[in-house]
Amino acid sequence: MGIIIDQSLCTGCETCLEQCAYDALEMVDDTARVNDNCNLCRACIDICPVEAISLEETRRQADERTAAASGVWVFAEQRDGTMPEVVAELLGQGRRLADQLGCQLAAVLLGHAVEPLAAELFAQGADTVYLADDPRLEHFNDDIYCQILARLIGRDQPEILLAGATALGRSLIPRVATAAATGLTADCTGLAIDPGPRTLLQTRPAFGGNIMATIVCPAARPQMATVRPRVMKAAEPQLGRSGRLVPVELAPEDTSRTEVLEVVRAIDEQVNLTGAEVVVTGGRGLGDAEGFELVRRLARALGGVVGATRGAVDAGWIGHAHQVGQTGRTVAPRLYIALGVHGAVQHVVGMQGSENIVAVNTDPAAPIFEVATHGIVGDLFEVVPAMLKRLEQTRG
Ligand SMILES: Cc1cc2nc3c(=O)[nH]c(=O)nc-3n(C[C@H](O)[C@H](O)[C@H](O)COP(=O)(O)OP(=O)(O)OC[C@H]3O[C@@H](n4cnc5c(N)ncnc54)[C@H](O)[C@@H]3O)c2cc1C
């Protein structure tokens, strides 16, 4: 596979040279040529005004590449040496997929001074850990992370690559899919193997959450998916389990156009919705921003955090960092209390994995009651103060 330039079409306009971030194009005899810096990012293909540039891969090459691919890989995201829970969830699901396919499960770990995390990845089911440990990887960097991952994929040809649909995964993985010239299904909520063609069935909500679409990538490898945190079952760690550690060296050309000057924790990270054991969510039934004070009081009394529907967020009553649902966070606490929440499908996809769901709504036909384990038909402004009073009495 490679970039080819049709010399008979090239006008020597140099647009592609200006676009190329890797100095992979040069002028020879007034026409553009590709050099060894090319990493197949394909930016030049889209920019060429006379469509002289294309990607060359014969059908036979593509079929051979697909047949040769083997192994399930999980991108083991970490920040400051801590991996989010979604990595264990991906390894749990990755193990099930690899066992079904009869292949190896690998984790790819990039960072600086992160080698101790490899033991955790083995314990969670990885047979192999690819470890790139270098000061240049201390802070997450799209460019360098992408270059390393794309090179590893080209060399070892995995069949499947999974990553978390986190801020970091959502930024990195589309670039990797482009560099590897394959497809990507973002924000999956279900993954399975179609046993006949051995393709990955990637399920995700579509059309505003009204249908679940199952997407396949039959002709390119790896099949890539990002997965929402808290929808897959995490691997049970097996202490003492070990595997093969494969060191990955950085190449001299692994450089970036960006430099991290300072890391500032985003405010929304401080709302630890995804990891909370108790979430108390307010919807438009609260009436106004002041209504959230009641939600906050109940959350405080239960040691939980405050969630919100998009209805409440759009009304400007609370920040988006609190939003639960398809375009907010996915949560699965032990206790989820929904106050004045209608139960729209886009909200429910983000909280239906909760262990216990208590809903308070004046409308007995509200769809939230269909997913609630305990439903209270009543006015939240009466029910919540009664709950608070009861909690105080119990504590007293
Ligand atoms: C593409 C797309 C993505 C979306 N993503 C999300 C998302 O991530 N999260 C999300 O939440 N929504 C999302 N939505 C919006 C979603 O469709 C609903 O519009 C939204 O969830 C409604 O919010 P609500 O339940 O607070 O408001 P409403 O639908 O107005 O419901 C308010 C409820 O409060 C009840 N009520 C009123 N007064 C009281 C009272 N005093 N006591 C008790 N109950 C009372 C009412 O009976 C009613 O059921 C999305 C929509 C689209 C199209």
Side-chain angles (χ1 to χ4, degrees):
M1 186 163 58
I3 294 285
I4 50 167
I5 301 177
D6 186 335
Q7 301 300 320
S8 65
L9 293 176
C10 179
T11 58
C13 70
E14 300 191 13
T15 310
C16 55
L17 271 71
E18 287 157 24
Q19 175 71 17
C20 182
Y22 303 99
D23 289 333
L25 292 153
E26 55 201 27
M27 296 303 288
V28 178
D29 297 334
D30 291 336
T31 54
R33 306 287 161 96
V34 187
N35 65 32
D36 291 344
N37 291 340
C38 179
N39 71 357
L40 301 179
C41 78
R42 301 197 283 186
C44 55
I45 298 179
D46 300 332
I47 204 79
C48 177
V50 291
E51 297 184 2
I53 308 179
S54 58
L55 189 70
E56 184 188 48
E57 180 176 39
T58 63
R59 184 59 198 259
R60 189 174 54 80
Q61 281 173 320
D63 289 348
E64 281 172 3
R65 200 155 64 93
T66 303
S70 173
V72 177
W73 286 14
V74 167
F75 173 61
E77 159 181 355
Q78 61 79 30
R79 272 186 208 222
D80 302 331
T82 305
M83 293 185 288
E85 183 63 15
V86 70
V87 174
E89 293 162 9
L90 293 172
L91 285 167
Q93 183 65 18
R95 184 72 269 165
R96 288 184 281 278
L97 298 174
D99 289 346
Q100 209 177 331
L101 289 167
C103 67
Q104 297 265 305
L105 174 66
V108 185
L109 176 60
L110 313 181
H112 180 44
V114 290
E115 187 169 348
L117 297 181
E120 270 183 56
L121 297 168
F122 289 132
Q124 286 161 344
D127 302 309
T128 301
V129 173
Y130 291 94
L131 171 68
D133 202 320
D134 189 286
R136 275 177 279 175
L137 303 174
E138 181 169 2
H139 299 299
F140 169 66
N141 183 301
D142 281 310
D143 285 335
I144 303 183
Y145 272 48
C146 176
Q147 286 153 18
I148 297 170
L149 262 168
R151 203 167 45 238
L152 277 178
I153 289 169
R155 191 189 74 186
D156 289 1
Q157 302 187 23
E159 202 166 352
I160 293 171
L161 189 143
L162 309 176
T166 57
L168 194 148
R170 283 176 171 156
S171 168
L172 171 68
I173 296 302
R175 287 168 183 255
V176 176
T178 305
T182 186
L184 165 68
T185 307
D187 264 357
C188 291
T189 53
L191 294 173
I193 300 292
D194 186 348
R198 288 170 62 95
T199 44
L200 182 66
L201 303 173
Q202 305 158 83
T203 303
R204 56 153 298 157
F207 296 107
N210 290 318
I211 61 159
M212 298 301 281
T214 297
I215 294 161
V216 289
C217 176
R221 292 293 178 269
Q223 301 159 90
M224 290 181 54
T226 58
V227 177
R228 284 197 149 211
R230 300 227 137 202
V231 291
M232 305 284 169
K233 196 169 175 312
E236 277 297 328
Q238 299 169 43
L239 293 178
R241 188 180 179 281
S242 69
R244 193 168 64 105
L245 187 70
V246 181
V248 178
E249 298 298 326
L250 266 68
E253 64 272 20
D254 288 335
T255 52
S256 174
R257 292 161 295 175
T258 54
E259 186 188 349
V260 179
L261 299 178
E262 190 189 358
V263 178
V264 181
R265 300 262 168 259
I267 292 164
D268 73 347
E269 276 181 330
Q270 289 164 13
V271 184
N272 186 15
L273 266 179
T274 34
E277 295 260 297
V278 177
V279 176
V280 183
T281 287
R284 274 210 302 233
L286 292 171
D288 55 26
E290 277 167 33
F292 264 98
E293 200 37 50
L294 207 53
V295 181
R296 287 192 190 95
R297 279 179 57 203
L298 186 57
R300 260 198 308 273
L302 293 167
V305 297
V306 174
T309 64
R310 177 159 155 184
V313 172
D314 286 352
W317 301 345
I318 192 162
H320 179 262
H322 294 267
Q323 186 175 314
V324 174
Q326 188 188 321
T327 42
R329 299 297 170 99
T330 304
V331 299
R334 287 179 56 204
L335 175 61
Y336 188 88
I337 302 184
L339 304 172
V341 172
H342 179 67
V345 62
Q346 297 91 352
H347 183 78
V348 169
V349 291
M351 47 66 78
Q352 62 195 355
S354 308
E355 225 171 289
N356 294 288
I357 300 171
V358 177
V360 183
N361 199 305
T362 43
D363 177 6
I368 192 70
F369 289 128
E370 285 166 26
V371 290
T373 37
H374 299 80
I376 302 172
V377 179
D379 185 337
L380 70 92
F381 293 101
E382 291 169 14
V383 176
V384 177
M387 282 177 166
L388 286 164
K389 197 168 162 200
R390 189 58 184 268
L391 278 167
E392 272 166 29
Q393 281 169 355
T394 315
R395 292 222 171 105

